[in-house]
Amino acid sequence: MSTENEPAAADNTRRAPSEDPHFIAGIIGAAGDHDAPLLRRMIAPLGTPDLADVIEHVPLETALTIARLIGSELPVELLADLSWERREEILTELPDDYVSRVLGELDTDDAAAVAADIDEEQLGRVLAAADDDTRLAVEEALSFEEETAGRLMQREYVAAPEGDKVGDVIDRMRVDSAELPDEFFEIYIVDAAMRPIGAVRVSSLLRTKRETPLTEIMRSPLILIRPEMDQEEVAQTFQKYHMVSAPVVDEAGRLTGMVTVDDIVDVISEENEEDLLRLAGVSEAAQTDSVFRSVKARAPWLLVNLLTAVVASTVISAFEGSINRLVALAVLMPIVASMGGNAGTQALAVAVRAIASRDLTEGNAPRYVLREALTAISNGFIFALVLAVVVAVWFQDVLLASAMALAIVINFACAGLAGILVPLTLRRYGADPAVSSSVFVTFVTDVVGFLAFLGLATLILFA
């Protein structure tokens, strides 16, 4: 077996190992045979990101077997590169001493992310085996709410007193290189009370003469981050001010850590994915999810959708007599509802994006509402004219075409208003505006579309 699979481990120059079915099959086979030496040889050439990708793509039982067989030999950065779902699944199979070593060697922001996924009993054992600095850093990080700057921040940073010169900082960093963060972009200048008063980019430091005072090249004022700030707000701040790092300060304004752009990239990706999924009424969609977990996440909003569909159907049943007298009504009414639904979805997508990016606020909400309403009405008139001509030619009935045109305009207007007002209303009452707003918007456009078309047709044709 080793003869067949070992070449696959080396042949990964043209594509990622996780995309090579032969390599993945070899990993699964080696794990199934509990062949630890072969597993070691196969994963040895892989960098940590590629190894994490492989563990994400293999079945759960294979990932658990790898953790049991060679868990203590895996690179410490692996757990930080795994998704939280897969990390949570394999942590219980990893040796406590390995997990303790991971928490001690990772930067504190990554260590906090890993620690958050460890169950309480295992975390107690892991922290008991860790050194005091690691234990205190992890406990402090976990004291903050999830998705806040306190969880994101890295407690390793580089600071220098305001009286230092460029040469002083460079010399000190060389002497204390082992204490430096793995990644940092700025040196924070602090006063006697450890309050940051400015920052110097590493690139500026290296281009400046040694005898230059730091205060001459530092940028000030700084954008300061509080640990309780929501991570989405932190990401917005980074985007707005084009930042690569930001100092985190406590209530007294003292420097306690920093947030770096690599974590912000992850936050932006997570928040965008979360908003996209919630807009469709799906709370999570990990590749490792079971069928049961997927059903549990999606079924509640499908039930809400079913209830709204039943209400829309009762509107149709109220006009059963009119539909029986003119079958064309049954042919045309889905067009009215479908066109209105699409118009509402367009307005909804614009609104949710504007809310997520903080472009839509209470102050400018009326302008957004007016714009979306006028846009929808304008489109309504355009497509009302088009459909009126189509219906008049198709069914040779001008009155039916008139009812169709009026219903389209009415439904488009309501769709535009619903698309902007539904997410605004959800946000006003403390709900996430991305959570299945589409269900309620579709409900409005269906009910209004059927009611407007069938009601107007009944009045115009049969009154």
Side-chain angles (χ1 to χ4, degrees):
M1 184 172 180
S2 62
T3 304
E4 293 179 3
N5 289 313
E6 284 181 299
D11 185 19
N12 56 24
T13 55
R14 287 179 294 178
R15 57 179 172 178
S18 61
E19 297 174 357
D20 184 346
H22 297 293
F23 182 80
I24 294 296
I27 290 287
I28 294 172
D33 293 340
H34 289 75
D35 191 340
L38 177 57
L39 279 174
R40 292 188 188 97
R41 290 196 297 273
M42 292 188 72
I43 70 173
L46 303 183
T48 304
D50 282 336
L51 177 56
D53 206 23
V54 167
I55 292 179
E56 294 279 1
H57 281 80
V58 297
L60 175 59
E61 187 53 44
T62 299
L64 294 175
T65 302
I66 292 172
R68 284 192 290 264
L69 290 178
I70 57 172
S72 60
E73 304 167 40
L74 296 173
V76 294
E77 298 86 1
L78 176 67
L79 289 180
D81 285 342
L82 288 174
S83 68
W84 69 266
E85 295 97 342
R86 182 46 57 100
R87 181 167 62 221
E88 192 175 64
E89 289 167 339
I90 72 170
L91 268 167
T92 54
E93 301 299 327
L94 293 169
D96 289 345
D97 60 340
Y98 165 77
V99 180
S100 180
R101 179 160 52 89
V102 167
L103 296 185
E105 294 186 25
L106 288 176
D107 285 336
T108 48
D109 55 336
D110 291 329
V114 172
D117 294 327
I118 305 175
D119 69 63
E120 189 173 343
E121 182 179 346
Q122 185 183 15
L123 182 60
R125 298 195 306 269
V126 167
L127 291 181
D131 59 69
D132 291 341
D133 289 341
T134 299
R135 183 167 58 255
L136 290 173
V138 169
E139 289 175 347
E140 181 186 359
L142 296 182
S143 68
F144 295 104
E145 296 289 334
E146 290 187 27
E147 300 188 350
T148 62
R151 288 290 184 95
L152 284 180
M153 79 170 176
Q154 183 174 319
R155 285 150 184 83
E156 300 89 1
Y157 54 85
V158 181
E162 56 185 321
D164 269 10
K165 296 180 180 180
V166 168
D168 300 328
V169 178
I170 292 175
D171 292 341
R172 191 159 54 247
M173 286 195 297
R174 286 173 176 165
V175 172
D176 300 330
S177 59
E179 304 299 322
L180 296 178
D182 290 338
E183 300 281 347
F184 67 100
F185 308 98
E186 296 179 313
I187 292 93
Y188 299 113
I189 315 305
V190 295
D191 62 16
M194 279 299 292
R195 293 187 295 261
I197 60 172
V200 176
R201 291 185 185 271
V202 173
S203 56
S204 298
L205 189 80
L206 296 177
R207 287 197 297 262
T208 306
K209 293 181 179 180
R210 292 178 57 86
E211 62 272 13
T212 305
L214 292 176
T215 51
E216 288 187 11
I217 60 172
M218 74 179 187
R219 61 179 180 85
S220 180
L222 291 175
I223 304 299
L224 303 178
I225 304 295
R226 290 296 307 278
E228 64 271 14
M229 185 183 292
D230 184 85
Q231 66 177 20
E232 192 170 358
E233 186 178 350
V234 178
Q236 293 291 338
T237 303
F238 267 68
Q239 286 182 305
K240 181 177 180 179
Y241 295 102
H242 309 289
M243 300 159 64
V244 292
S245 68
V248 181
V249 297
D250 61 15
E251 293 181 357
R254 293 185 296 263
L255 183 63
T256 59
M258 66 176 179
V259 176
T260 53
V261 70
D262 57 321
D263 293 316
I264 295 303
V265 170
D266 292 337
V267 169
I268 293 172
S269 176
E270 290 169 7
E271 295 290 346
N272 287 341
E273 179 183 354
E274 183 180 87
D275 287 344
L276 178 63
L277 293 174
R278 286 182 172 179
L279 186 59
V282 182
S283 60
E284 34 185 74
Q287 62 183 1
T288 56
D289 277 356
S290 65
V291 173
F292 174 76
R293 190 172 183 177
S294 297
V295 170
K296 183 180 178 182
R298 303 178 193 185
W301 286 111
L302 291 175
L303 177 60
V304 173
N305 189 65
L306 173 62
L307 296 176
T308 59
V310 169
V311 174
S313 297
T314 61
V315 173
I316 298 174
S317 67
F319 295 94
E320 183 178 355
S322 299
I323 295 172
N324 288 333
R325 293 173 65 182
L326 186 60
V327 177
L329 297 180
V331 175
L332 295 174
M333 65 183 185
I335 298 177
V336 180
S338 176
M339 292 293 292
N342 287 333
T345 299
Q346 289 175 340
L348 176 62
V350 171
V352 170
R353 180 186 178 279
I355 290 173
S357 63
R358 316 258 172 155
D359 291 333
L360 177 52
T361 63
E362 290 188 6
N364 63 13
R367 179 168 59 83
Y368 268 85
V369 172
L370 180 61
R371 186 191 71 182
E372 291 304 321
L374 292 177
T375 299
I377 291 171
S378 299
N379 282 329
F381 277 111
I382 293 171
F383 288 98
L385 178 61
V386 172
L387 286 170
V389 172
V390 170
V391 172
V393 172
W394 187 1
F395 294 98
Q396 301 294 309
D397 192 331
V398 176
L399 292 179
L400 179 60
S402 301
M404 183 73 169
L406 288 172
I408 285 289
V409 173
I410 292 171
N411 203 20
F412 264 64
C414 291
L417 288 171
I420 189 77
L421 292 177
V422 165
L424 283 175
T425 302
L426 287 172
R427 184 182 69 169
R428 186 178 185 84
Y429 287 98
D432 189 331
V435 178
S436 279
S437 296
S438 59
V439 173
F440 300 111
V441 172
T442 302
F443 169 66
V444 170
T445 55
D446 282 353
V447 170
V448 171
F450 293 142
L451 185 60
F453 178 58
L454 295 176
L456 287 169
T458 301
L459 289 174
I460 294 173
L461 298 172
F462 307 125

